Structure formats: C-alpha cells, structure tokens
C-alpha cells in the first residue's frame, strides 16, 4: 500500500539512523495522542514539547545539515528521507510541519552563501536545537518582491544599518538566524543577510495569525550589519531567494498528502461504521464514488510527488527539469489536497465540524498550502513558460530511477542563476503513456493530442499570451499532462495495478474535460479554439467490475489506522 500508515512503517531506508528518526517521530506524536494535539491546537499552545524532542534527538540537525558541515555521514540533506518526515508532520498537524518548513527556507540562503563562517555557525545552531526563519515577504508587497523596502544603508566604516519590516515570517520569534531579503539603499542592489531575534535592534511586533504557529511581523531599527552577516549581494542574492523557494515549495505537497491521508483514515472509518436506514453510509453509490475519487486523487498526489523527488535529487546544471516538476507539486498537489478534503467532508458532513477528530484541523489547514511559496496563479504563470519545449522539442536523457540512496543533495544549494527557464528541455512525455495502454489512458492521450493541435494550429495570439486569465486556463491543461506523465512513470516503478491506474485516469479524463470547457468559455477564445476545446471533452471508459475492485481496496482501509486517543 502506497499511503503512509504509522502502524506499518515499512519504507525502505539505506541506514538505521534514518529509520530511527521516522519511528521516533511517529512515536512522539502517538504518545502525545490526538486529544492533546487537538487541545494544543484549540488553545494555540506553543509547541515547546515538539521543539524539545527535535533538540534532544538532533533531528533537524541530522536532516538539514549538508554532510560537510555535519558530524558524520548521517548528517545530510537527503530528499528521500525528508519526504517521509514532511509527510509525517503533515499527518499529525500542520503547525509542526510549518516550523520545520520555515527552518528549511531560512537555511536555504545560508547553505547557498559563500560565507563559510555563517555556515559553520548555522551548523552549530542546528546541533543546539535551534530553528531558522526566512524573511522575504513584506506587508505591502506580497508576491512582488522587486518592491522590497527593507534596506541596508552603507556606513563610513563599510558596515550597514538595516531598517525595515517583514511580515508573515514563521519562527521570527525565536530564530537566531533570520535570513532577510532587502536592498542596499542608494544602489537598489539586492542583498540577503541574517538577523538575530535576540538583538536589541530587532523588534518582534506581533504574531499576524491566530494559530499555534508564530507567523511574525518584525522590524529592524538601525540594526548593524557587517560582512559577517551578509549572505550575498546583487544577482546571487536574488537567485538565493528564488532557489530557496524552489526547494521549499516541494515540501508543500507532502504537507497536503500527510493531512489528506490522516483525514482519509478517519473518514472511511466513520462512514463504514455509521448506519442510516439500516445500511452503512458506505453502501450509498455516491459515497462510494466520492471515496474512490478521494483515494485515487490521493494516491496520484503521492505518486507524482515521489517521482518529482527523483528528478530533484538527480538535478544538475544540465538537467533542470525539476524547475517544472516542483511548481506542479506546489500548485497541483496542494489543490488536489483541497479536492480530497472536499470529497471526504461531503461524506462525513457534520462530523467534520467536531472538535475532537483530526478532520476539523485538516479541513482548515489544507487551505493554507496552495497559498504559501507563491500562490497557485504565480506558479501556473511560471509553468506555462515550459510548455513549448515540453510538447514540441523533447530530448533524450538517461533514465532516472527511484532515488532512495543515502546521498547529500548538494546541487540544491548550488542551483546557479534562476534564469533561462524557457530553454530547459524535457524527455519525450509520450513514452510513459504508451507503456500503459489502458482504456482511460488511451482516452486521455487522445485529449492531449487535441490539446497539442490547439497549441500548434490555434496558437494563442499575442494578446492572449499576455492575458493571465487565459494563460491560467491553458496552464491547467498543460499541468495535468505533466502530472499524468510522472504518475505513470512512478506507476511502473511502484508496480501499481492496472485497475487502480485506469481508475486514476477516470478522474484525469474528467478533469481534462472540465479544464477544456473552462478554456472554451474564456472571453477571448476564438471559434477554432472553441471547437478544439469541445473536441477535448470526453467521457471516461466505464467499467463497473474495475470500479468495484478499487472500491473494495478503499473499503479495506476502514480499520487500517486510528490515532492513539
Ligand atoms: C501562514 C503563512 C505563513 C507564511 N510564512 C512566510 C514566511 O515564513 N516567510 C515569507 O517570506 N513569507 C511567508 N508567507 C507569505 C507568503 O509567501 C505570501 O502569502 C505569498 O507569497 C503571496 O503573497 P500574498 O498572500 O500577499 O498575495 P499577493 O501578492 O497580495 O497576491 C494577490 C493576488 O495576486 C496574484 N498574483 C500576484 N502576483 C502574480 C503573478 N506574478 N502572476 C499571477 N498572479 C499573481 C496572486 O495569485 C493573488 O491572487 C506566509 C504566508 C502565510 C499566509
């Protein structure tokens, strides 16, 4: 079974230390129990117990220190094991995941800097159990980081005074190193530097959210900065920001997968044991349909995200395909997470509001993930840049296998300039589809063929190419094709059975039709574009015995997992 089940932790690890971290983390949450997790959530209790556990076990230090700054080979940035750790934190509560996520973001510019002293200091802070923070966003400017107002004013002795405010910054209340983005006043040159929350010129203004997390507003008032605190200036500082977000946005998918998996276990258990009109709720045909959709969407989220990690770990200056696959984890996997929760909530109805189950927290938190690390729109706008090369200019690459080896993912902190996205090329996507000639996959391929015809013969004109609304609709279809491709690649690696795979493509065919109808309805779509959109509308291949077998697989999970009370 591909879904995480804390009662059956059997994921492969090449070493004992990694396995122990996973087991101990699960044990920490199971010992804490659902009741206490929910109480802390409702009371917005600071998660000091979790941070103490992380410190005692040196977990962030082991997982987030590149080997050369660590104590031994167990210290490495290893995306394979970070995947499951991410998923577990999402599974038990997004607040725990968030403090880890912003530590990752804060460490991004630090591991990327050429300033060796800062790196060594950061490694010591990690060993001591500290967390980190990433100060990019400002209250007035949102996604528009060009307009950053945080400034460093040069002083006669070569140092600087930092002034400005940051907003929505996780861990801003206790990070000894808050990686902060700004500009040098006068020249407007970009700069990344570190600030310490304990410094007297660092003002922690408030928590801007009402939650267990501290998502802070902080201000620097004539905060002295010397070369010892500077991470980078100019283009490298800009690249640091974007390259850090490239890493961080990948984790968002795992938070969604973890949340949905826990919610799924609760929902199926509740529905299968609830009897109305002398039958189980799971006997309603529409409930079965919703559960099968939720399950197939969730399995797809996981297959895609796992496969994207293989490309992330194998990335190099010559293979930057991850720059397409990661934003899709961010925008597609996280919005699919919302869809899974919607489906489950429609089934469990009032139960989803109850204070005691996990679900109430899931229904709230699943909404956050599409909005972090750039919104869905920002990511689709990014993704469409890859479309021409993806469809019309493939090239050969060596096959990338499952990357579960004990390697430090050094390239992540040496990604180079964040430019040239339109030049990145991809391997031929059709191969993955042709390897699985199942009825719904064949229909999906026919839809994709029409979409390619749309791009080739009804190419969006110059005005449409500048119209974000139109591009977003187009980007949804493109995204779905890439999503499908990586799911199929991983279906081979994980030996997913044909029934489940064909059922996955049942919703894929429906989704592509829905996106085509949306594109059809855009104000600027032309007659030929509209006609091609209508040709993309297809019905999935109906196969009741197949649906029945997948449903039995779903129902068999009804008692698979219950959290310790
Ligand atoms: C709980 C939480 C924690 C956070 N933690 C951190 C943190 O630790 N560090 C940090 O630096 N930031 C953090 N953020 C900020 C987060 O990254 C921003 O919310 C995000 O970048 C979007 O900014 P915004 O929400 O202000 O939206 P805005 O930038 O105001 O966007 C408004 C609308 O415009 C659209 N839009 C903007 N630009 C484009 C574009 N180029 N193309 C298409 N559409 C566009 C958006 O999609 C959106 O619909 C956090 C936010 C939250 C809510």
């Amino acid at each position: 079974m591909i879904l995480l089940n804390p009662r059956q932790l059997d994921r492969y690890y090449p070493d004992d230390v990694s396995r122990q971290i996973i087991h101990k983390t699960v044990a920490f949450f199971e010992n804490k129990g659902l009741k206490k997790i929910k109480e802390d959530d409702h009371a917005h209790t600071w998660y000091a117990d979790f941070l103490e556990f992380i410190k005692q076990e040196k977990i962030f230090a082991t997982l987030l220190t590149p080997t050369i700054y660590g104590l031994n080979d167990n210290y490495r940035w290893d995306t394979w094991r970070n995947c499951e750790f991410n998923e577990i934190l999402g599974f038990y509560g997004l607040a725990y995941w968030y403090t880890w996520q912003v530590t990752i973001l804060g460490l991004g510019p630090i591991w990327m800097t050429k300033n060796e002293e800062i790196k060594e200091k950061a490694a010591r802070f990690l060993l001591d159990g500290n967390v980190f923070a990433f100060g990019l966003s400002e209250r007035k400017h949102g996604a528009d980081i060009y307009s950053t107002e945080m400034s460093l004013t040069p002083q006669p002795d070569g140092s600087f005074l930092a002034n400005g405010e940051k907003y929505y910054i996780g861990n801003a209340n206790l990070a000894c190193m808050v990686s902060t983005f700004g500009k040098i006043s006068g020249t407007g040159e970009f700069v990344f530097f570190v600030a310490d929350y304990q410094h007297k010129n660092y003002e922690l203004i408030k928590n801007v959210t009402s939650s267990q997390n501290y998502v802070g507003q902080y201000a620097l008032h004539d905060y002295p900065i010397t070369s010892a605190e500077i991470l980078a200036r100019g283009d490298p500082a800009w690249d640091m920001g974007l390259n850090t977000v490239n890493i961080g946005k990948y984790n968002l998918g795992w938070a969604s997968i973890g949340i949905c998996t826990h919610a799924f276990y609760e929902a199926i258990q509740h529905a299968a044991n609830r009897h109305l009109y002398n039958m189980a709720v799971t006997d309603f045909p529409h409930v079965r349909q919703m559960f099968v959709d939720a399950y197939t969407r969730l399995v797809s989220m996981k297959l895609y995200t796992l496969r994207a990690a293989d490309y992330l770990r194998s990335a190099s200056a010559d293979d930057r395909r991850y720059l397409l696959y990661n934003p899709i984890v961010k925008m597609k996997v996280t919005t699919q997470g919302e869809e899974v929760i919607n489906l489950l909530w429609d089934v469990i109805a009032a139960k989803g509001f109850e204070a005691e189950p996990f679900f109430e927290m899931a229904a709230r938190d699943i909404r956050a993930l599409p909005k972090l690390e750039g919104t869905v729109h920002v990511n689709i706008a990014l993704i469409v840049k890859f479309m021409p090369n993806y469809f019309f200019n493939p090239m050969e690459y060596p096959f990338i296998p499952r990357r579960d080896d004990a390697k430090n993912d050094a390239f992540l902190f040496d990604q180079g300039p964040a430019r040239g996205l339109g030049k990145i090329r991809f391997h031929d996507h059709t191969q993955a589809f042709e390897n699985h000639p199942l009825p719904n996959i064949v229909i999906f391929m026919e839809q994709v063929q029409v979409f390619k015809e749309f791009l080739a013969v009804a190419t969006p004109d110059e005005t449409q190419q500048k119209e974000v609304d139109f591009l977003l609709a187009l980007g949804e279809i493109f995204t779905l094709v890439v999503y499908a491709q990586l799911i199929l690649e991983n279906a081979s690696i994980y030996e997913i059975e044909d029934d489940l795979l064909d059922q996955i493509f049942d919703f894929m065919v429906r989704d592509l039709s829905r996106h085509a109808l949306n594109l059809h309805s855009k104000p600027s779509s032309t007659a030929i574009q509209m006609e091609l959109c209508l040709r993309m509308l297809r019905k999935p291949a109906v196969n009741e015995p197949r649906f029945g077998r997948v449903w039995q697989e779903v129902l068999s999970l009804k008692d698979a997992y219950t959290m310790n009370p």
Side-chain angles (χ1 to χ4, degrees):
M1 219 252 304
I2 193 151
L3 298 188
L4 171 73
N5 184 345
R7 303 270 173 261
Q8 291 165 19
L9 293 173
D10 55 4
R11 191 168 191 255
Y12 166 77
Y13 286 104
D15 61 291
D16 260 357
V17 169
S18 303
R19 204 170 303 112
Q20 277 168 21
I21 288 176
I22 296 299
H23 282 257
K24 282 180 184 170
T25 308
V26 165
F28 167 83
F29 287 112
E30 291 291 339
N31 290 338
K32 181 163 181 171
L34 182 58
K35 187 162 182 280
K36 182 78 175 108
I37 282 189
K38 292 300 309 274
E39 275 172 13
D40 284 358
D41 175 61
H42 292 152
H44 298 174
T45 307
W46 178 246
Y47 31 72
D49 56 345
F50 176 63
L51 294 179
E52 185 56 28
F53 161 71
I54 291 299
K55 179 177 175 173
Q56 290 306 323
E57 299 294 338
K58 299 194 180 349
I59 290 185
F60 285 3
T62 314
L63 298 182
L64 301 181
T65 310
T67 310
I68 50 168
Y69 302 103
L71 299 182
N72 53 51
D73 286 356
N74 292 319
Y75 287 68
R76 58 179 190 269
W77 195 292
D78 171 344
T79 303
W80 172 255
R81 65 180 181 185
N82 287 358
C83 285
E84 195 173 37
F85 187 74
N86 255 307
E87 187 181 16
I88 288 168
L89 298 188
F91 188 95
Y92 289 107
L94 193 68
Y96 308 97
W97 172 87
Y98 182 71
T99 194
W100 144 267
Q101 168 73 351
V102 290
T103 294
I104 287 179
L105 292 171
L107 285 168
I110 292 172
W111 298 139
M112 287 174 198
T113 182
K114 295 201 165 31
N115 186 332
E116 286 300 314
E117 275 174 30
I118 294 189
K119 290 180 176 178
E120 275 158 24
K121 207 166 153 189
R124 286 197 298 277
F125 279 140
L126 269 171
L127 261 185
D128 291 344
N130 287 291
V131 295
F132 290 72
F134 184 62
L136 185 66
S137 298
E138 294 187 5
R139 185 176 199 169
K140 277 207 284 188
H141 304 300
D144 176 15
I145 51 176
Y146 290 98
S147 301
T148 294
E149 286 185 66
M150 171 68 74
S151 71
L152 292 195
T153 308
Q155 301 302 298
D157 65 355
S159 69
F160 300 90
L161 289 179
N163 283 286
E165 270 189 33
K166 292 283 172 183
Y167 204 73
Y168 297 128
I169 311 305
N171 289 348
N173 58 329
L174 79 166
C176 302
M177 285 185 170
V178 180
S179 297
T180 302
F181 184 67
K183 286 180 187 165
I184 308 276
S185 60
T187 64
E189 190 189 7
F190 293 119
V191 61
F192 243 114
F193 60 95
V194 287
D196 181 349
Y197 85 107
Q198 298 162 106
H199 196 283
K200 65 180 176 40
N201 299 18
Y202 181 108
E203 183 194 359
L204 184 63
I205 300 172
K206 64 175 181 203
N207 185 352
V208 301
T209 62
S210 168
S211 71
Q212 257 189 288
N213 292 123
Y214 201 101
V215 185
Q217 176 182 12
Y218 69 89
L220 303 182
H221 305 289
D222 283 340
Y223 186 112
I225 296 289
T226 66
S227 58
E229 284 84 33
I230 301 268
L231 294 162
R233 288 173 64 165
D235 287 346
W238 176 261
D239 291 340
M240 252 174 194
L242 296 195
N243 289 339
T244 295
V245 172
N246 286 340
I247 302 170
K249 68 173 59 163
Y250 176 75
N251 294 338
L252 298 162
W254 284 110
S256 282
I257 294 166
I259 291 174
C260 289
T261 306
H262 197 162
F264 182 87
Y265 287 130
E266 271 194 1
I268 187 77
Q269 187 168 65
H270 171 74
N273 290 304
R274 183 166 173 82
H275 288 79
L276 304 175
Y277 321 105
N278 294 324
M279 62 188 219
V281 167
T282 42
D283 290 336
F284 285 120
H286 67 291
V287 167
R288 291 183 178 180
Q289 181 67 52
M290 287 191 276
F291 267 123
V292 167
D293 268 7
Y295 179 70
T296 46
R297 286 183 190 276
L298 179 52
V299 169
S300 305
M301 288 159 65
K302 188 152 184 184
L303 285 173
Y304 180 86
T305 309
L306 281 168
R307 186 64 181 144
D310 298 335
Y311 290 98
L312 185 61
R313 299 197 78 196
S314 306
S316 67
D318 298 325
D319 180 358
R320 302 202 296 157
R321 287 174 287 178
Y322 73 105
L323 291 175
L324 168 61
Y325 304 149
N326 277 13
I328 291 181
V329 171
K330 193 255 123 80
M331 58 74 52
K332 182 75 186 171
V333 174
T334 63
T335 48
Q336 284 292 287
E338 289 183 298
E339 200 134 340
V340 168
I341 295 294
N342 287 345
L343 286 161
L344 298 175
W345 203 350
D346 272 350
V347 173
I348 67 166
K351 186 84 183 166
F353 293 88
E354 284 184 21
E356 289 174 9
F358 175 81
F359 199 94
E360 175 233 12
M361 216 159 71
R364 178 197 63 208
D365 290 343
I366 200 72
R367 307 278 172 233
L369 300 154
K371 294 166 187 67
L372 302 175
E373 322 295 315
T375 58
V376 169
H377 311 144
V378 170
N379 279 279
I380 302 189
L382 173 71
I383 285 164
V384 290
K385 294 188 178 143
F386 299 100
M387 194 158 59
N389 270 354
Y390 178 88
F391 280 125
F392 302 112
N393 195 14
M395 67 175 260
E396 294 264 337
Y397 281 95
F399 174 74
I400 297 209
R402 186 172 99 163
R403 293 297 313 274
D404 53 16
D405 42 321
K407 179 190 152 253
N408 178 60
D409 297 336
F411 176 75
L412 297 185
F413 304 104
D414 188 21
Q415 294 175 58
R419 284 190 296 274
L421 301 189
K423 294 204 181 76
I424 297 173
R425 293 176 63 191
F426 298 86
H427 57 299
D428 182 4
H429 63 282
T430 56
Q431 192 60 54
F433 293 88
E434 282 159 11
N435 288 344
H436 300 276
L438 296 167
N440 281 317
I441 297 173
V442 171
I443 296 174
F444 187 85
M445 267 308 269
E446 289 165 3
Q447 292 174 297
V448 175
Q449 216 34 57
V450 181
F451 183 59
K452 284 167 79 173
E453 198 181 324
F454 179 107
L455 295 174
V457 306
T459 319
D461 63 25
E462 254 183 55
T463 322
Q464 286 176 325
Q465 288 184 30
K466 290 195 187 112
E467 200 181 303
V468 179
D469 188 43
F470 188 86
L471 281 187
L472 294 181
L474 205 68
E476 286 282 7
I477 300 181
F478 172 46
T479 300
L480 195 61
V481 181
V482 185
Y483 193 59
Q485 180 202 344
L486 264 61
I487 288 168
L488 287 173
E489 289 182 9
N490 232 0
S492 303
I493 294 172
Y494 281 84
E495 299 178 346
I496 301 297
E497 324 83 75
D498 284 354
D499 278 346
L500 181 56
L501 202 52
D502 203 26
Q503 192 63 43
I504 284 175
F505 275 77
D506 180 293
F507 85 71
M508 290 277 193
V509 169
R510 281 183 275 137
D511 284 2
L512 202 147
S513 299
R514 190 158 45 86
H515 295 318
L517 189 58
N518 185 34
L519 188 57
H520 173 275
S521 316
K522 288 296 156 196
S524 70
S525 57
T526 62
I528 175 145
Q529 287 173 336
M530 288 160 69
E531 190 197 316
L532 284 157
C533 284
L534 291 181
R535 278 178 49 209
M536 281 183 241
L537 302 192
R538 298 291 300 274
K539 178 178 172 174
V542 179
N543 180 336
E544 286 199 15
R546 177 201 71 218
F547 179 89
R549 289 189 293 272
V550 175
W551 163 244
Q552 284 310 320
E553 184 175 330
V554 173
L555 189 61
S556 74
L557 298 174
K558 69 183 166 63
D559 296 315
Y561 171 78
T562 317
M563 188 170 172
N564 279 354

